[in-house]
Amino acid sequence: DTEVTQTPKHLVMGMTNKKSLKCEQHMGHRAMYWYKQKAKKPPELMFVYSYEKLSINESVPSRFSPECPNSSLLNLHLHALQPEDSALYLCASSHEDAGGEKLFFGSGTQLSVL
Amino acid sequence: QKEVEQDPGPLSVPEGAIVSLNCTYSNSAFQYFMWYRQYSRKGPELLMYTYSSGNKEDGRFTAQVDKSSKYISLFIRDSQPSDSATYLCAMSVTGANSKLTFGKGITLSVRP
């Protein structure tokens, strides 16, 4: 099973709302990632968790808060977002956090901030 | 100079055509080379994976890496309308915390 499951698929939120994006994988992978993708652009790395510890934070604003409750789950907590944060948010996982790892992506959450 | 350059297209071909997609890169430390396919409103899907130089074939798809020229290619034979998608090249170096560097992606349309 090479599936990464993301919920919800679509989310519309106001600038004062708090919401969470969820990601789950059951491949036994020890690295999990959050990416942000704007239309017609490649994915941009936001966070990397390795063995449930945050290993990379790409200087993401604090209104995005990641959480890794266990090795299979990854959350992204959203608060006080701006309209320019509207994008496709992708979760991915890989066997390890090492060069050359194959990343498996979920289908993403399409986020619209009003 | 960007680390990875990819012609953004778009590219439109008739069904059955041979498609050639290319990326160039500047970082000679890149060792792992990948092609991802992304359908509209979906996440990227790993299509081809190559370590160092050489060719790799999988069905109608062939990936080539020429490290001496810092050039990678993806060939699609007998293209089908279902191949219509955005194709992203990606590459990384060896070692922990090595981030995947993506090309901009090229949108391919295969006309029936």
Side-chain angles (χ1 to χ4, degrees), chain A residues 10 35 37 40-43 45 48 55-56 58 88 90 97-108 110, chain B residues 32 34 36 38 41-46 49 56 88 92-100 102-105 107:
Chain A
H10 304 277
Y35 280 83
Q37 187 177 27
K40 300 189 186 301
K41 299 286 187 183
L45 183 63
V48 181
S55 60
I56 295 179
E58 289 289 280
L88 181 67
L90 294 162
D97 172 23
E101 287 291 327
K102 298 176 183 179
L103 263 61
F104 294 89
F105 285 88
S107 290
Q110 187 66 54
Chain B
Y32 301 91
M34 298 155 223
Y36 281 86
Q38 186 172 22
R41 302 181 188 278
K42 297 289 187 183
E45 168 195 11
L46 182 62
Y49 176 94
K56 186 171 184 179
L88 297 140
S92 74
V93 302
T94 303
N97 296 334
S98 299
K99 297 178 286 188
L100 205 55
F102 285 94
K104 284 188 173 182
T107 298

Side-chain angles (χ1 to χ4, degrees), chain B residues 6 9 13 23 25 27 30-31 34 38 57 60 69 83 91 94 97-98 105-106 108 111:
Chain B
Q6 181 176 11
V13 302
C23 289
Y25 62 94
N27 186 350
F30 285 140
Q31 294 275 16
M34 298 155 223
Q38 186 172 22
E57 188 173 322
R60 297 184 294 109
S69 302
D83 296 326
M91 43 199 84
T94 303
N97 296 334
S98 299
I106 184 168
L108 170 67
R111 307 185 302 271

Side-chain angles (χ1 to χ4, degrees), chain B residues 26-101:
Chain B
S26 58
N27 186 350
S28 58
F30 285 140
Q31 294 275 16
Y32 301 91
F33 304 92
M34 298 155 223
W35 286 94
Y36 281 86
R37 178 175 63 193
Q38 186 172 22
Y39 291 112
S40 181
R41 302 181 188 278
K42 297 289 187 183
E45 168 195 11
L46 182 62
L47 196 58
M48 299 293 283
Y49 176 94
T50 310
Y51 170 68
S52 194
S53 282
N55 294 358
K56 186 171 184 179
E57 188 173 322
D58 183 1
R60 297 184 294 109
F61 299 90
T62 300
Q64 287 186 351
V65 175
D66 182 348
K67 290 192 71 179
S68 62
S69 302
K70 298 191 180 69
Y71 188 88
I72 71 170
S73 300
L74 177 69
F75 297 95
I76 307 174
R77 291 183 297 280
D78 187 24
S79 55
Q80 303 294 309
S82 58
D83 296 326
S84 299
T86 296
Y87 291 81
L88 297 140
C89 63
M91 43 199 84
S92 74
V93 302
T94 303
N97 296 334
S98 299
K99 297 178 286 188
L100 205 55
T101 302

Side-chain angles (χ1 to χ4, degrees), chain A residues 2-8 21-27 29 31-37 43-49 66-76 87-94 102-110, chain B residues 36 38 42-45 102:
Chain A
T2 56
E3 191 170 287
V4 176
T5 304
Q6 287 189 246
T7 55
L21 310 185
K22 298 186 182 298
C23 175
E24 189 170 4
Q25 58 88 13
H26 293 289
M27 295 179 276
H29 288 173
M32 296 186 77
Y33 309 75
W34 281 114
Y35 280 83
K36 173 183 177 180
Q37 187 177 27
E44 296 176 17
L45 183 63
M46 300 174 72
F47 303 103
V48 181
Y49 273 83
E67 178 195 19
C68 188
N70 60 53
S71 60
S72 300
L73 294 173
L74 186 66
N75 298 323
L76 186 63
L88 181 67
Y89 287 84
L90 294 162
C91 174
S93 71
S94 66
K102 298 176 183 179
L103 263 61
F104 294 89
F105 285 88
S107 290
T109 295
Q110 187 66 54
Chain B
Y36 281 86
Q38 186 172 22
K42 297 289 187 183
E45 168 195 11
F102 285 94

